[in-house]
Amino acid sequence: MASVTAPKQDRSRATRQRLLQAAVACLAERGWAGSTVTVVAERAGVSRGAAQHHFPTREDLFTAAVEYVAEERSHALRALVARDRREVVAAIVDLYTGPLFRAALHLWVAASNEDQLRARVTELEARVGRESHRIAVELLGADESVAGVRETVQGLLDMARGLGLATLLTDDTARRQRVVSQWAALVDAALE
Amino acid sequence: MASVTAPKQDRSRATRQRLLQAAVACLAERGWAGSTVTVVAERAGVSRGAAQHHFPTREDLFTAAVEYVAEERSHALRALVARDRREVVAAIVDLYTGPLFRAALHLWVAASNEDQLRARVTELEARVGRESHRIAVELLGADESVAGVRETVQGLLDMARGLGLATLLTDDTARRQRVVSQWAALVDAALE
């Protein structure tokens, strides 16, 4: 039986991943209003029934999608080999300017007006936020027992989020790079 | 005629302001999907016809509303009498955590997926952004001829925006105050 079950589980996992990736892309491109289970299933090349087997509700699908991609990004960030703190700051900010941030932003904004989604997204956001903070502290070699260090790192993550928001309507990469370079120097000095 | 015309103009201006304030409140509470000219007119106690006389399209009404409130805030900020840079930083961040930021956020996110709105909001956002930057430079007494100072101020505004985003789903006032206090000190030192 094992030889039959294993490939079946693999297929199921692959289907799940395709759905999650399609859900994030859909959210980033069309926003919450344009993102339904049907649209995502079609995009992933999966039947609606199979999609609903994995994710019974629309809320299940999209919160799982944002969480999945956030975890993928965390793994990538943990594996980062940076030469110095400035590279770490740049890598952290990069996380907030891609399709994941865009998708998460649509989910947050929709959640702020929809009670059903709100509790789910608030819980998810707290979890992802704590994890981002942990990774940032580790990569920056920050000693949080020193007064102010925790807040320095939090402020950096807030700035990264604000830079992600600034890039929503126009590509302001050149400006962002100058800001990141300056703030990386400030963070570096503050953590010395 | 003048005695008849003047009160009429006053009434028209008052109606316009009521519509703009109602539009911002509506956007902040219901998001773009729930914000129509009809809903705003009702909230403002104005007939739909009168609302359309002032603002022919939905896009006209909501971009004008966000601009109007941004201008009101700029005036308030310019009038700020702060004892030191730390108070200025706190006042700037406060601008990004109220209903105006919430309304603007809904407009930005909607604009990222709607071409008609996008051009309008991008132009508005650039204008409001330049004005916020100018005021921040002035209040902080920042000398932009010094290398890095311009980027320090920009990063501060980006951080304020990120802090506003963090407050969308949960009230994180206590955390925000600690971050602002720490970063006010860092910005103060950087601008010395």
Side-chain angles (χ1 to χ4, degrees):
Chain A
M1 277 298 281
S3 60
V4 177
T5 308
K8 201 174 157 192
Q9 282 182 345
D10 286 349
R11 269 207 310 281
S12 174
R13 196 177 298 125
T15 300
R16 194 171 184 276
Q17 287 197 4
R18 273 217 309 285
L19 283 166
L20 293 172
Q21 282 157 355
V24 165
C26 188
L27 207 48
E29 284 168 26
R30 301 177 173 219
W32 176 250
S35 294
T36 62
V37 177
T38 306
V39 168
V40 171
E42 200 169 294
R43 183 172 191 139
V46 170
S47 75
R48 197 163 184 284
Q52 282 186 320
H53 166 73
H54 284 279
F55 304 101
T57 70
R58 188 184 178 203
E59 286 77 17
D60 291 333
L61 172 59
F62 289 97
T63 51
V66 167
E67 178 159 31
Y68 166 75
V69 189
E71 278 168 7
E72 297 276 295
R73 295 291 175 105
S74 292
H75 289 311
L77 198 54
R78 279 191 188 283
L80 179 78
V81 180
R83 278 172 309 186
D84 55 25
R85 281 211 188 100
R86 295 180 187 214
E87 277 193 11
V88 172
V89 171
I92 289 171
V93 171
D94 277 350
L95 289 192
Y96 290 84
T97 51
L100 167 62
F101 178 77
R102 233 182 145 78
L105 185 58
H106 281 294
L107 199 64
W108 292 332
V109 168
S112 78
N113 297 311
E114 296 196 23
D115 289 340
Q116 222 180 339
L117 199 55
R118 191 188 185 102
R120 301 278 296 267
V121 174
T122 302
E123 194 271 328
L124 168 64
E125 169 54 15
R127 202 143 27 91
V128 170
R130 277 194 300 272
E131 178 67 4
S132 306
H133 184 85
R134 245 198 308 273
I135 298 175
V137 165
E138 197 177 294
L139 290 174
L140 290 166
D143 177 1
E144 291 201 303
S145 68
V146 176
V149 164
R150 186 175 174 75
E151 288 72 24
T152 297
V153 175
Q154 287 189 342
L156 174 65
L157 292 170
D158 286 307
M159 192 196 61
R161 208 184 287 123
L163 285 167
L165 193 51
T167 207
L168 186 66
L169 296 179
T170 46
D171 176 12
D172 73 338
T173 307
R175 180 192 82 90
R176 188 172 62 247
Q177 283 170 347
R178 288 194 299 271
V179 171
V180 167
S181 157
Q182 170 68 4
W183 276 62
L186 294 182
V187 167
D188 195 26
L191 296 180
E192 273 313 306
Chain B
M1 277 300 281
S3 61
V4 176
T5 308
K8 202 177 157 188
Q9 283 183 345
D10 286 349
R11 270 206 310 281
S12 175
R13 194 178 299 126
T15 300
R16 194 171 185 275
Q17 286 198 4
R18 274 217 309 283
L19 283 167
L20 293 172
Q21 281 157 355
V24 165
C26 187
L27 207 48
E29 284 168 25
R30 300 176 172 219
W32 176 251
S35 295
T36 62
V37 177
T38 306
V39 168
V40 171
E42 201 167 296
R43 184 175 191 135
V46 170
S47 75
R48 198 164 182 281
Q52 281 185 321
H53 166 73
H54 285 279
F55 305 101
T57 72
R58 187 184 178 204
E59 286 77 16
D60 292 332
L61 172 59
F62 289 98
T63 50
V66 167
E67 179 159 29
Y68 166 74
V69 188
E71 277 168 7
E72 295 277 295
R73 295 291 174 106
S74 293
H75 289 310
L77 198 55
R78 278 191 190 284
L80 180 77
V81 180
R83 278 172 309 184
D84 55 24
R85 281 210 189 101
R86 297 182 187 214
E87 278 193 10
V88 172
V89 170
I92 289 171
V93 171
D94 277 350
L95 288 192
Y96 289 83
T97 51
L100 167 63
F101 178 76
R102 232 182 144 79
L105 185 58
H106 281 293
L107 198 65
W108 291 333
V109 168
S112 77
N113 297 310
E114 296 194 23
D115 289 340
Q116 221 179 340
L117 199 55
R118 191 190 185 99
R120 301 279 294 268
V121 174
T122 302
E123 194 270 330
L124 168 64
E125 169 55 14
R127 202 143 28 91
V128 170
R130 276 194 301 272
E131 178 66 6
S132 306
H133 183 86
R134 245 197 308 272
I135 298 176
V137 165
E138 198 176 294
L139 290 175
L140 290 166
D143 178 1
E144 291 201 304
S145 68
V146 176
V149 163
R150 186 174 172 74
E151 288 73 23
T152 297
V153 176
Q154 286 188 343
L156 175 64
L157 292 171
D158 286 307
M159 195 191 63
R161 210 184 285 124
L163 286 166
L165 195 50
T167 209
L168 186 65
L169 296 181
T170 46
D171 176 11
D172 74 338
T173 307
R175 179 193 82 90
R176 186 172 65 247
Q177 283 171 347
R178 288 194 299 270
V179 171
V180 166
S181 158
Q182 170 67 3
W183 274 94
L186 295 180
V187 166
D188 193 27
L191 296 180
E192 275 312 308

